[in-house]
Amino acid sequence: MDKLKVAIVQFPGTNCDRDTYHILNDVLKADVQVIWHEDLRMDAFDSAVIPGGFSYGDNLRAGVIAAYSPALGQLRKAGEDGKPILGICNGFQILVESGLLPGALLRNSGLRFVCRWVNVRVEAGNSLFTKFSENGTILKMPIAHNEGRYYAEDDLLASLERNGQIIFKYVDEGGQPSEPSNPNGSVSNIAGVSNHDGNIVGLMPHPERASESLLSPFRTTHGLQIFTSMLRSVEVLLKR
Amino acid sequence: MAGLPRFRIDVFITNKPAIRDPEGESILEDLAILNGFESVKSIRTGKVLAMEIEAENVEIAKSKVIEMCDSLRLYNPVVSSCSVRVAGG
């Protein structure tokens, strides 16, 4: 079987593309390509990652200008075809601004750029991106953002919970979504959500910075679980 | 042939009342009230886009700006509202 093709979509201001490429290409041996957003044709790929950064300098609102790139039309179609799409940090912001994911991401409640390791609890194990993590697994990953306060109105929040679209929550060492463990004021400590069908996921933490023990103060490689799950999901999709 | 007249239109983007505005809260509590302006009861921050637009008349200019605000999501309707004011002709 051909290797799975993963696109890493690069916008002006994207800066986590090389890190993401390194993990997928060098560590997980996937067939992965960094693609300039104007050149993205999803016919040629089985899945896509929108990496972190500051697309278009975060002008107007983080992610909103990239959301109007033709790449998002490609990703929308690919999403409808069931292909896994992952948005990390600014990628999450772009997916939310383009309407591919529900809710909004606001400026951190503490009014500061927050850069630190957090504990993230898997809320929806066995999703396309958490196949290798049981429900309740705690993943250690770093965050680095200024606009990560996830917001959804009460009705939307209830439907996200009902449909299992809340994928990750910030938790404390004991695994509880407590107030001190919430780094940015996100509603219900939400760190990542999915679309209704579960094949598009966005999260604020950076799994690509948490996939090699050398880069982790805890010697953990928890971020790998997300990429491995994604690759495994494409395999399943291709066999159908 | 003379060009179309140019209008100055300001777009004000603010978060909806239900959305917390920590920056406005900080300006109110840590600056205004602490320094004797206790009569100030609320401060909300926002963003202003000052635009110049050419159009046949001010109504057309205004509706064009509103159309752009909505279609290009110059504000995020999930959390913000936007108002448009004519600043000059």
Side-chain angles (χ1 to χ4, degrees), chain A residues 7-8 24 38-39 42 84 136 188 210:
Chain A
I8 296 174
L24 285 166
E38 290 171 324
D39 302 328
M42 279 305 289
S188 294

Side-chain angles (χ1 to χ4, degrees), chain B residues 4-56:
Chain B
L4 293 171
R6 184 178 289 201
F7 299 96
R8 252 289 309 281
I9 310 262
D10 290 341
V11 176
F12 292 82
I13 301 168
T14 48
N15 282 347
K16 289 176 181 171
I19 308 292
R20 266 195 63 199
D21 173 20
E23 187 175 6
E25 288 169 20
S26 178
I27 297 169
L28 176 69
E29 289 157 21
D30 306 322
L31 188 64
I33 292 176
L34 275 187
N35 290 285
F37 291 89
E38 300 91 349
S39 55
V40 179
K41 296 303 171 198
S42 168
I43 296 179
R44 301 281 289 179
T45 61
K47 184 171 267 195
V48 180
L49 309 180
M51 302 189 186
E52 292 182 14
I53 176 170
E54 291 178 345
E56 285 80 2

Side-chain angles (χ1 to χ4, degrees), chain A residues 60-61 68 97 107 151, chain B residues 23 47 71-74:
Chain A
L60 188 60
R61 277 192 317 281
Y68 281 85
E97 284 292 347
R107 193 170 177 202
Y151 175 80
Chain B
E23 187 175 6
K47 184 171 267 195
S71 67
L72 296 184
R73 283 172 63 97
L74 291 191

Side-chain angles (χ1 to χ4, degrees), chain A residues 8-9 17 29 31 34 45 52 94 107 118 125 143 149 167-168 171 196 202 205-206 217-218 224 227:
Chain A
I8 296 174
V9 191
D17 41 335
K29 312 295 181 196
D31 183 355
V34 178
F45 295 96
I94 293 168
R107 193 170 177 202
V118 294
I143 53 167
R149 174 168 46 129
I167 309 293
F168 302 110
V171 295
H196 186 271
H206 285 271
F218 314 100
L224 274 185
F227 294 116

